[in-house]
Amino acid sequence: VSVSNPLLADDLGARVRTVLDAFLDHQQRTLYAVAPECTDMVHAVRDLLGGGKRLRPAFCYWGARGAGAPGDDELVRAAVGLELFQAAALIHDDVMDDSDLRRGMPAVHRRFAAQHQTRDRLGDCERYGMAGAVLTGDLCLAWSDELFSTSGLAPQALRRGRVMFDRMRTELMAGQFLDMLGQSDPHDLDADEAVERARHVIRYKSAKYTIEHPLMIGGLLAGADEHLLAAYSEFGLDAGEAFQLRDDLLGVFGNPSQTGKPAGDDLREGKRTVLIACARRGATSAEARTISRLLGAPGLDAGGVAELQAVIVRTEAHHEVEQMIVDRTKAAQQALAAARMPETARAVLSDLVTAATTRAQ
Amino acid sequence: VSVSNPLLADDLGARVRTVLDAFLDHQQRTLYAVAPECTDMVHAVRDLLGGGKRLRPAFCYWGARGAGAPGDDELVRAAVGLELFQAAALIHDDVMDDSDLRRGMPAVHRRFAAQHQTRDRLGDCERYGMAGAVLTGDLCLAWSDELFSTSGLAPQALRRGRVMFDRMRTELMAGQFLDMLGQSDPHDLDADEAVERARHVIRYKSAKYTIEHPLMIGGLLAGADEHLLAAYSEFGLDAGEAFQLRDDLLGVFGNPSQTGKPAGDDLREGKRTVLIACARRGATSAEARTISRLLGAPGLDAGGVAELQAVIVRTEAHHEVEQMIVDRTKAAQQALAAARMPETARAVLSDLVTAATTRAQ
């Protein structure tokens, strides 16, 4: 397995940056013309998009290159639309979960709330922060589609890609809805059913949208045949599930200085992850009561986080999830190896899967 | 002035309904395939879109007809995209303002919060309601663009229309942001400046997006020349401002059984409307203190609403705003009369302006 940075291939990282900068400059001018204060929103987006692993544009771009596309700037522009979609999802997700941090910075609603306070404005700073973040996420959602649709790709290519682009958006919202429903599920579900349910949620809220959909959008933009699309779907789902399982582990055991999120964030939010479902399946009845009592408890402190981590470690749920990551990644790499595509694209896609599933942030 | 229902012309009301029904059926199937529970979101959208005046699709459709378009089903489909955009704006607006009612029904976040309670789910019902409404609004935003882009209109028509479609979205978010900023402005702004600032806000948060942008999108879809587009812009801005000034009056003096919103809702939310700015300009210093004390006060009761209404009536701000509506409507009708367009389109557009500016709901 190669260990290079897959964003260096075709200079993609720099090209994504260039498209983002120019596009946000344009939007900043539009907002400034309405009123200078409105640029607060674009500054928030710029800071958020200063970070990020660019996984979705990269899978889209290399999905198209794998189908024989030349990799010109129009393709990069369409792919960057996915990065703005991700920004919208993160901003709204943080509002819904009331998260404090994202990528090591205050979440967008916290940023606006802080501005409300330092600028001595009237009313409730939390409400102001929430409203600012809802609107900024809405802007990113609209801009995502603007970039995609005005990418300059041919109308028939866009028409093909849009079918999956549209499905991605609807299915992601459905996945997020399921995630939110899960957090309010009773704690006494059957253990095996809970694992299956958690896997179903991550398929929609993350696996499809992080890898499968971007790959297929790229493939469709480039006119991939049905064999390649089927390979992308198989490869993308396996790799996407491994990606999200890694995320689940980082959400409980990750180093905050690397993840940019507080330690044990998922536990505080009461996420019904596969990791938690596995822990519950292996738990004694006393441990199961600990999970029910602490998972999602408002204001869960470091002691509570440690208690939950101990249950996960004792039940070896973390090893179970690591094994799932190994299995899914292997299946993904096999599907990739069997697909017919240019070797450069295959090598970069393989590196992207490694980056997505072995990351510490 | 004709007094007919402008939605009857070209059978537009029924055609909008047909497109909406078929589109939401399609999305319901997609959501059901993820998980049956996800259809909660489409039911909320369906109920919300059961009502509404269809102003934005109507202005878009007749903007295209005015430019000589035949008025086929593809045009209706693109126009209905604007109705879904409006649904997204309303759902998120109600979250941001924490409104109870919309169109006589619980606002979408209240609907989800109530479902959380009746279904005995774990956690905070308000947070659940808010999250459900954020996601449902996001869906409508994505669906708006899906309908527009897959309308079946020719690529070059869509490319022209999209320029204004994209601008509409960014400018509406900017207008909403200004509205929210206004609510947290200090109460001691210069009175004339406050009136100008309130007019600037309604231009972006409502006037442009309700009439000017839909008209111009329709015109651009149909390839209107620059003279007609300039006439649409002038006509649309004047009519749009009159529309929003009517809304301001209804927000303070409207009959809840007709507006579908609680009496005095704008006062409770602390909206810095043109009406309030005019009242403040004519207020004694004791009255000005009453406004500062009560406007946007959390839990403002019927007595407080009546006190603010009395200040508005005493200062005759409501007459001032009625006069502005008359002036702006007249200017709009003159711009419309001077434009070169088919007489049918002119007559319907004139009726639409009457409907938009003399309404009681």
Side-chain angles (χ1 to χ4, degrees), chain A residues 17-33:
Chain A
R17 178 82 272 162
T18 303
V19 168
L20 270 177
D21 284 344
F23 183 75
L24 293 177
D25 286 349
H26 160 68
Q27 298 297 351
Q28 184 164 337
R29 285 189 293 274
T30 304
L31 290 172
Y32 189 91

Side-chain angles (χ1 to χ4, degrees), chain A residues 34 121 145 169 184-185, chain B residues 34 121 145 169 184-185 200:
Chain A
V34 177
R121 305 199 66 91
D145 152 64
R169 297 189 295 182
S184 69
D185 268 344
Chain B
V34 178
R121 304 199 66 90
D145 150 65
R169 299 189 293 182
S184 68
D185 268 342
H200 186 70

Side-chain angles (χ1 to χ4, degrees), chain B residues 109-128:
Chain B
H109 62 289
R110 292 266 185 266
R111 174 192 180 108
F112 282 116
Q115 287 176 355
H116 184 279
Q117 288 190 299
T118 56
R119 296 175 191 172
D120 244 341
R121 304 199 66 90
L122 295 183
D124 178 6
C125 68
E126 300 231 336
R127 176 153 295 280
Y128 179 94

Side-chain angles (χ1 to χ4, degrees), chain B residues 2 4 9-10 62 64-69 228 232 333-352:
Chain B
S2 152
S4 71
D10 279 14
W62 287 101
R65 295 281 277 120
L228 186 58
Y232 278 175
Q333 298 286 14
Q334 278 167 352
L336 180 64
R340 284 187 60 172
M341 67 169 75
E343 288 313 316
T344 325
R346 194 196 313 279
V348 178
L349 285 171
S350 173
D351 286 350
L352 279 169

Side-chain angles (χ1 to χ4, degrees), chain A residues 237-352:
Chain A
L237 259 180
D238 281 327
E241 200 171 329
F243 164 84
Q244 182 55 39
L245 291 169
R246 172 64 59 209
D247 212 61
D248 287 1
L249 285 171
L250 291 171
V252 172
F253 297 104
N255 179 342
S257 73
Q258 290 186 290
T259 62
K261 289 189 275 191
D265 219 20
D266 279 1
L267 300 173
R268 204 167 290 112
E269 290 167 7
K271 295 269 178 236
R272 305 302 172 91
T273 60
V274 174
L275 179 66
I276 287 292
C278 289
R280 200 187 288 278
R281 186 161 59 181
T284 63
S285 52
E287 286 167 341
R289 282 194 300 275
T290 301
I291 296 177
S292 302
R293 182 168 49 86
L294 296 178
L295 187 70
L300 182 71
D301 62 11
V305 168
E307 235 181 301
L308 283 169
Q309 285 172 330
V311 174
I312 293 165
V313 170
R314 212 287 304 156
T315 57
E316 300 197 347
H318 61 317
H319 289 155
E320 237 181 301
V321 170
E322 281 288 0
Q323 189 57 49
M324 288 181 194
I325 295 175
V326 168
D327 294 344
R328 298 268 69 71
T329 305
K330 204 164 148 194
Q333 299 285 15
Q334 279 167 350
L336 180 63
R340 283 186 60 170
M341 66 170 77
E343 289 312 318
T344 325
R346 194 196 316 276
V348 178
L349 285 170
S350 173
D351 286 350
L352 279 168

Side-chain angles (χ1 to χ4, degrees), chain B residues 299-319:
Chain B
L300 183 71
D301 62 10
V305 168
E307 236 183 298
L308 282 169
Q309 286 172 330
V311 174
I312 292 165
V313 170
R314 213 288 302 156
T315 56
E316 300 198 346
H318 60 317
H319 288 155

Side-chain angles (χ1 to χ4, degrees), chain A residues 119-132:
Chain A
R119 297 175 190 172
D120 242 344
R121 305 199 66 91
L122 295 182
D124 177 6
C125 69
E126 299 231 337
R127 177 153 293 280
Y128 178 95
M130 183 265 278

